[in-house]
Amino acid sequence: QQRAYFTIEGESYPADQWTNTPDTILSHVGRRLYLDDNHPLAITRKLIESQFPNPVFGNYSEKTPVVTTAQNFDVLGFPPDHPGRSRTDTYYVNEKTVLRTHTSAHQQAYFQQINRNEQTRPEEVGYTVIADVYRRDAIDRSHYPVFHQMEGAMLWKRPSPDPLAHSSATAAKIMADLDKLPRHDVGVEDPNPTIHPERNPLQAEHHSAEEVEAVGAHLKRSLENMVIRIFTEASKAAAASAGTPTEQEPLKVRWVEAYFPFTSPSWELEVFWQGDWLEILGCGVIKQELLINSDVPNRMGWAFGLGIERIAMLLFNIPDIRLFWSRDERFLSQFRAGQIARFEPFSKHPACYKDVAFWLPPAAVTGGKSAAGGAVPFHENDVMEIVRGIGGDLVEDVALIDEFTHPKTSRKSMCYRINYRSLERTLTNEETNGLHDQVREKLVGLLGVELR
Ligand code: PHE
């Protein structure tokens, strides 16, 4: 797949040594599923946006997925050795350009926009943005290399350019806004202090503890209200399809300390629903350095980000993430704008499991370089990418089922089990055998493994 340049959404980008974005991934660009009113991703988008209404929030989407490494990583304070930057995890268009791995890549642009619109739309101090995001990852029913995220943020103006002067006034203003948010009576577990000196530090040179308590309280209530709305809808849909109101444990939420390079303090919000704690979103108090670098030095605020498929799968009871890309009317015809109802599977075609076992090349065992200098350390995501490139949406799942190191030669052996299953039809033996043979060949050709 050596090519000189890419055209993505009408823009041209030169390829280089870093390029690792295959055409099968690029073929997903431009679908904009979140704009198809009757698609479950669009219905989910609208439900979330309704919790962040105008005029305080503008509700946006971002068309092209191509961003610079500066936007995706540097501006947000990702350290140079952060694993997210690696070519095993991220699709590079070229050295300086990637397919965005998260909607946070647009934070700076939206903060700059709030500043630009200060005179014309002074009340719009927040935004939501939805977009397709891309990650090299495992293959199973809840992971797909292209998915959608929504991000939101809200800022408050501080009265003085001196960051810590009048911080009580800022805190009071935020608390007054908190008071205007609807209250709820769902149980909330929030065991940790807002600020923890190591795990969740105060940005002491920029913020007072009082301000951070206020932003944190506003953030938490806003996001609790949002997830309560989502899961109330999900419970209603589940009860409607069961026919009778089902006996269910009441909804609960909890706040867990987290880390993101561009927020501090940071949290994850989890929801207890139908017997499991589900991680729903990441969020935090925006790093002031980022706001300073985004033309809004005299504002502070919160941001959150969440995966849309995850939530849509729960809302609509969609069992396999590949279904979102289906053009099959048996899928698409089940959804109507504004309605949340349980998906009825139209058929389940047989699974076809095929194993592939191989020895890693000697250099890959240690993760070092071979004498010839050619071999790269083995990374599972490269196996996934090969399988994806050949099987595409015909592969439901790839699982490592065995791994061992030979006691004498200390060579390492891996065995992966691939489940070939179409969502739409029964695959023939010839077809799956043909795909599997190609996978075996490519593993040898691209990773230098030795088949067993
Ligand atoms: N971008 C983060 C992610 O993809 C989520 C996030 C967004 C966290 C905004 C904090 C603030 O995991």
Side-chain angles (χ1 to χ4, degrees):
Q1 256 166 351
Q2 278 315 107
R3 48 194 301 168
Y5 67 90
F6 290 99
T7 303
I8 303 170
E9 294 286 312
E11 287 289 321
S12 183
Y13 304 91
D16 65 17
Q17 309 290 350
W18 282 73
T19 305
N20 66 348
T21 304
D23 290 344
T24 47
I25 293 297
L26 289 177
S27 71
H28 292 75
V29 174
R31 225 15 224 283
R32 285 192 265 293
L33 296 169
Y34 51 85
L35 294 184
D36 288 350
D37 284 342
N38 298 323
H39 193 279
L41 294 177
I43 301 169
T44 306
R45 166 180 68 86
K46 291 247 173 175
L47 178 61
I48 302 173
E49 284 175 349
S50 73
Q51 299 298 301
F52 300 102
N54 302 333
V56 173
F57 292 87
N59 301 128
Y60 300 98
S61 62
E62 281 292 326
K63 209 168 162 203
T64 178
V66 182
V67 299
T68 61
T69 50
Q71 290 172 296
N72 202 80
F73 300 120
D74 305 343
V75 162
L76 296 166
F78 279 69
D81 58 350
H82 192 282
R85 291 182 184 260
S86 107
R87 287 173 75 247
T88 58
D89 288 30
T90 295
Y91 290 108
Y92 278 82
V93 174
N94 56 41
E95 184 181 3
K96 291 275 177 292
T97 342
V98 298
L99 301 183
R100 69 182 150 234
T101 64
H102 57 173
T103 42
S104 302
H106 302 289
Q107 275 192 12
Q108 181 174 64
Y110 282 96
F111 297 147
Q112 289 169 329
Q113 171 173 295
I114 287 174
N115 178 55
R116 272 201 312 280
N117 293 343
E118 178 158 11
Q119 303 304 323
T120 49
R121 273 183 281 161
E123 66 286 7
E124 190 177 306
V125 292
Y127 67 85
T128 64
V129 59
I130 188 167
D132 41 329
V133 301
Y134 298 74
R135 292 187 195 175
R136 290 177 107 237
D137 208 334
I139 301 177
D140 61 42
R141 276 178 297 164
S142 60
H143 288 89
Y144 199 75
V146 190
F147 60 104
H148 298 81
Q149 277 190 337
M150 187 183 276
E151 178 126 348
M154 180 167 173
L155 303 181
W156 283 268
K157 207 149 177 190
R158 307 167 92 194
S160 160
D162 173 359
L164 292 172
H166 310 293
S167 72
S168 292
T170 308
K173 200 164 66 168
I174 299 168
M175 291 307 283
D177 283 345
L178 169 65
D179 216 42
K180 291 181 218 146
L181 294 177
R183 288 160 204 281
H184 65 76
D185 52 16
V186 168
V188 179
E189 291 177 23
D190 192 3
N192 300 303
T194 308
I195 294 157
H196 183 284
E198 283 99 45
R199 297 194 303 268
N200 245 341
L202 175 72
Q203 303 172 51
E205 53 303 15
H206 302 294
H207 300 155
S208 74
E210 194 186 7
E211 286 171 312
V212 170
E213 291 290 350
V215 174
H218 192 280
L219 161 74
K220 285 176 178 174
R221 176 91 64 80
S222 303
L223 298 179
E224 286 161 11
N225 284 343
M226 175 191 69
V227 299
I228 291 166
R229 175 72 204 282
I230 291 171
F231 283 88
T232 305
E233 295 293 333
S235 298
K236 277 196 258 170
S241 89
T244 51
T246 45
E247 199 50 56
Q248 267 176 34
E249 278 199 67
L251 195 61
K252 278 185 292 189
V253 301
R254 75 177 175 202
W255 290 99
V256 179
E257 289 178 333
Y259 170 81
F260 301 102
F262 41 94
T263 52
S264 187
S266 308
W267 300 276
E268 275 160 8
L269 177 53
E270 299 186 344
V271 174
F272 190 78
W273 195 67
Q274 298 190 340
D276 288 312
W277 282 106
L278 310 171
E279 182 191 314
I280 299 299
L281 59 82
C283 62
V285 177
I286 303 159
K287 287 262 179 92
Q288 204 61 31
E289 300 295 344
L290 172 55
L291 295 171
I292 292 167
N293 293 332
S294 307
D295 308 339
V296 283
N298 55 349
R299 297 182 194 245
M300 69 181 297
W302 54 249
F304 75 91
L306 54 75
I308 296 289
E309 274 80 353
R310 189 85 202 282
I311 289 176
M313 288 173 87
L314 297 164
L315 277 171
F316 298 94
N317 203 29
I318 293 174
D320 189 311
I321 195 168
R322 292 175 294 165
L323 280 163
F324 291 110
W325 298 89
S326 174
R327 297 180 195 263
D328 192 321
E329 275 307 311
R330 292 172 296 176
F331 176 75
L332 295 172
S333 66
Q334 294 198 27
F335 309 98
R336 278 287 157 275
Q339 292 176 22
I340 289 153
R342 307 295 264 183
F343 169 66
E344 294 293 339
F346 40 87
S347 59
K348 182 98 174 162
H349 299 280
C352 177
Y353 294 99
K354 292 198 182 290
D355 294 352
V356 55
F358 51 79
W359 296 107
L360 295 188
V365 176
T366 57
K369 291 178 205 76
S370 73
V376 287
F378 174 80
H379 196 295
E380 181 161 293
N381 281 350
D382 294 332
V383 175
M384 301 294 169
E385 199 60 48
I386 287 171
V387 175
R388 226 178 342 252
I390 292 159
D393 289 359
L394 301 179
V395 177
E396 176 174 297
D397 190 280
V398 179
L400 179 66
I401 56 164
D402 190 37
E403 179 179 11
F404 85 97
T405 304
H406 192 283
K408 293 238 172 62
T409 64
S410 69
R411 279 188 92 182
K412 196 166 173 187
S413 158
M414 326 278 281
C415 182
Y416 285 91
R417 176 160 295 170
I418 305 174
N419 178 8
Y420 296 92
R421 183 197 330 242
S422 164
L423 290 162
E424 278 142 23
R425 60 197 174 83
T426 297
L427 300 175
T428 64
N429 264 329
E430 279 125 315
E431 203 174 355
T432 46
N433 285 335
L435 293 171
H436 198 63
D437 286 344
Q438 287 180 59
V439 167
R440 290 164 56 88
E441 229 171 85
K442 274 259 162 96
L443 287 170
V444 173
L446 293 177
L447 303 185
V449 306
E450 186 188 321
L451 297 175
R452 306 186 53 194

